[in-house]
Amino acid sequence: MYAAGEPAPIATFNQHTDYVNCLAAAKSTPIVASAGLRAEVFLWDVQKAMRINEQSGFYEANPCEGHKGSVYALALNEPGNFMAAGSTDGAISISDTRSQSKLASLKGHTENVRALLLNADGTLLLSGSSDQTIRLWDLGQQRCIQTLAVHTDSVWSLLASHDFSVVYSGGRDKCVYRTQLANRTSELLLTEHAPINDMAFDSQSSALWVATASSSVRRWNVDESLPAAQAQPRASADLQRLKQQQQQQQQQQQQQQPDNTAFLASTSTYARSRQAQDRPLQAQQQHAAAQTRGIAPLVQSAVLTDRRHILTKDAEGNVELWDTATAAVKERFGQIDFQQKEAELFAPQSILPWFAWDTKLGSLTLHLDSTQTFAAEVYAYTMGLQAPEEQKLNYGLEFLRGLFLTWADALQQQQHQQQQQQQQAPEGDAQQEPPDPPQQPDSDGSSTSFSSSSPPTSSGQEPFQYTTGPYPPVIMCSLQGPGQPWDQQPWQKCVTKFTGQEPKISMIPHWVCRAVFTGEHKTVKETKAGFLLSPLQGSGLPSLLQSKLTAPRILLIYKVATYCQSKLAEQSYHMQLGSVYWDQAQQQEAVNASRNRQGDVLELTCNGLAVPYDLSLAAVRQYIWKRSDDPVLHYGRQTPGRPAPMPIMKPVS
């Protein structure tokens, strides 16, 4: 829940176990309904939920049962005592929000119900569906009293005048129609560039605001000069009179309506489709009066093989390279071909995935969990850090350290100040015991204390530092078990908003606290890799005493080559290292350094192909060996002028 003008949420309510599809709010009472997948519908008393939330308690919403399919549309009347819910089976459920009991089920739509609208007193209901129809329901008689086939695709949004005499509808066909229910006259007001998700009417300025699948919201000036609207059909008793009016005015309306902007709405979607083909309409409004531009949503993304950078493309075609270590854009390429740039940035690396990602919300979202976060390790010097060659760095650990650095520093500073106050207190005065360091229970029931000492990093270097805003929001959600409701540990907070004075350290998961304060983490993946070293047949080189070896999967082939060189030297076979690198800059540097060298050159091959020194053992297995068993590396003398062919390595689909 957000307050107007505030970017951060003031409260987060969690009870759904899957995606939330729609919300509805009552105008005169603090009642909000939410619905989503798995046929879940919940009713929230916002005022009560806020009070409990301020007390760090857990508010449990009231569920509404009786829905067979996922719910995609909700509507509440003004007092909030009646609720309509439309689901994927085409049925509309009417419920009493006070007792959470189902009152009726309206059947008529043949496909998913995507839009609902109740009038003020809850006697009439408008519904829009993927079956391309709009239906008007009399809730007193619990039956449909009018069917309108206006759109040529799914109806996603409905809006009506206060007396329900005029209906505005938008949908997947990118069109907004205005229909008078009394005479069934429909007008094409405007055509958008993307499917229409929602609409809002400003009666003071006669403006219609339209939100589409794009990130921009546009304002359209609506002509208020409508043909005289008939009295609204408020009950089934008006149905006969409505039909008589329609029959009397049908011929007159056909003569008066403009040739290319309006038509008489049919009840048949087939007839409407034929009508759209035979007589295309022209929108009354050709250009929007104003537009509020939003940030273009991301529509495509790919994680590079280094498991650090992510390439994205937005709806306007702009391609950018993101760095997870800084949570910021590293490079902007403009409007270029996404696949071509991805191929250009390819490097034959094999690093275990340590996060999941998606762009479902139009922005880049990373998902971290305890089973995967600490899977990826690299050598610290490959990250540009001044560290010994053997020093490893855990991607997930350093990411969490940088992400929660503000919170950790604030908490440590608070504890340090309390300790100073305790030490400066005069002797004999009543002294209050200093607060215990944060503790959380271990899986065995014991507790772990997180000290306030400066937390080390896995590389001995400073943790990753995020760039100067905007800082990423952090959302933590924890399940009690598969398919179970959220527990009492959900929150959403910007990383810069932590003060160190949060009511409970349990706001942050136990495994995250361990990593941030002590650097302790569990490597859940196998980090070792086996391989065999064998002399190339006909090379005249001896076998090594130990041919089957085990090393870290991130070990570079350069280390294997130097090991092989030293072991051969022990047997009086002195050889120079070759200059085989995938990276062109390293390749040229190695060639320049080896120009004046004399003697045999050691060459490593796998499957008859040269093995670049800047590849890891895992990369050799993935891109050259391409088998599940341990790779076999052959060492031999490089033939002058005839080196082993370089491998052709491409991204693995």
Side-chain angles (χ1 to χ4, degrees), residues 88-99:
T88 53
D89 60 359
I92 303 172
S93 299
I94 308 299
S95 303
D96 187 337
T97 59
R98 295 162 293 187
S99 61

Side-chain angles (χ1 to χ4, degrees), residues 437-457:
Q439 293 186 349
Q440 286 205 356
D442 287 330
S443 57
D444 58 0
S446 60
S447 62
T448 300
S449 174
F450 302 118
S451 66
S452 60
S453 59
S454 179
T457 66

Side-chain angles (χ1 to χ4, degrees), residues 66-330:
H67 305 281
K68 296 182 179 180
S70 298
V71 178
Y72 281 81
L74 283 175
L76 286 170
N77 64 341
E78 288 191 3
N81 54 350
F82 288 106
M83 179 186 68
S87 59
T88 53
D89 60 359
I92 303 172
S93 299
I94 308 299
S95 303
D96 187 337
T97 59
R98 295 162 293 187
S99 61
Q100 294 88 50
S101 60
K102 184 176 179 180
L103 301 178
S105 179
L106 307 179
K107 297 182 179 180
H109 286 294
T110 58
E111 295 185 28
N112 188 10
V113 178
R114 297 297 303 267
L116 292 171
L117 185 65
L118 276 166
N119 67 343
D121 55 8
T123 58
L124 292 174
L125 173 69
L126 278 170
S127 62
S129 169
S130 296
D131 63 10
Q132 307 177 20
T133 66
I134 301 170
R135 289 177 177 266
L136 178 65
W137 305 83
D138 185 328
L139 297 185
Q141 297 294 326
Q142 299 183 12
R143 66 190 185 95
C144 177
I145 60 175
Q146 200 166 7
T147 301
L148 302 170
V150 175
H151 291 264
T152 58
D153 211 325
S154 301
V155 182
W156 287 0
S157 179
L158 292 172
L159 197 63
S161 58
H162 181 71
D163 59 359
F164 254 47
S165 61
V166 180
V167 176
Y168 296 83
S169 59
R172 192 178 178 183
D173 57 4
K174 307 176 186 178
C175 298
V176 173
Y177 291 93
R178 177 173 57 190
T179 304
Q180 295 188 82
L181 297 183
N183 52 36
R184 303 178 66 90
T185 300
S186 292
E187 304 165 275
L188 177 59
L189 293 182
L190 58 98
T191 302
E192 277 282 4
H193 300 295
I196 295 166
N197 292 330
D198 206 352
M199 300 180 296
F201 189 73
D202 184 358
S203 58
Q204 295 181 351
S205 60
S206 298
L208 183 67
W209 290 89
V210 179
T212 67
S214 68
S215 58
S216 300
V217 179
R218 303 210 288 178
R219 189 190 73 187
W220 299 80
N221 291 333
V222 179
D223 184 10
E224 291 184 305
S225 58
L226 296 174
Q230 304 298 320
Q232 80 163 329
R234 302 193 58 85
S236 295
D238 297 330
L239 182 58
Q240 186 65 30
R241 180 172 57 86
L242 178 63
K243 290 182 178 180
Q244 293 175 356
Q245 291 175 347
Q246 293 172 357
Q247 293 173 357
Q248 293 172 0
Q249 297 178 356
Q250 181 175 357
Q251 184 175 2
Q252 180 182 358
Q253 290 296 329
Q254 288 178 344
Q255 296 175 354
Q256 294 180 352
Q257 65 189 9
D259 293 337
N260 60 347
T261 62
F263 62 97
L264 193 64
S266 172
T267 60
S268 168
T269 57
Y270 174 76
R272 176 67 187 104
S273 299
R274 288 294 302 272
Q275 186 182 45
Q277 294 176 0
D278 299 339
R279 183 169 162 264
L281 298 177
Q282 181 179 356
Q284 294 181 3
Q285 299 287 330
Q286 299 297 323
H287 303 285
Q291 177 177 249
T292 302
R293 290 184 59 84
I295 299 175
L298 299 181
V299 296
Q300 193 172 3
S301 62
V303 176
L304 301 187
T305 53
D306 61 2
R307 297 293 175 180
R308 172 177 174 176
H309 296 94
I310 303 177
L311 193 68
T312 62
K313 178 181 178 180
D314 63 25
E316 298 177 354
N318 297 306
V319 178
E320 297 176 332
L321 183 66
W322 292 76
D323 187 354
T324 59
T326 59
V329 175
K330 181 179 181 180

Side-chain angles (χ1 to χ4, degrees), residues 10 13 20 39 80 82 126 173 197 208 256 262 268 316 342 355 404-405 478 496 520 576 581 583 595 605 616:
I10 58 177
F13 306 134
V20 177
F82 288 106
L126 278 170
D173 57 4
N197 292 330
L208 183 67
Q256 294 180 352
S268 168
E316 298 177 354
E342 183 182 5
F355 63 84
F404 288 95
L405 183 63
S478 176
T496 58
E520 182 181 347
Q576 302 294 331
Y581 288 88
D583 183 77
R595 284 178 178 174
T605 60
S616 66

Side-chain angles (χ1 to χ4, degrees), residues 15-31:
Q15 200 155 334
H16 286 271
T17 60
D18 213 323
Y19 284 101
V20 177
N21 292 329
C22 51
L23 297 171
K27 291 185 179 181
S28 58
T29 55
I31 300 297

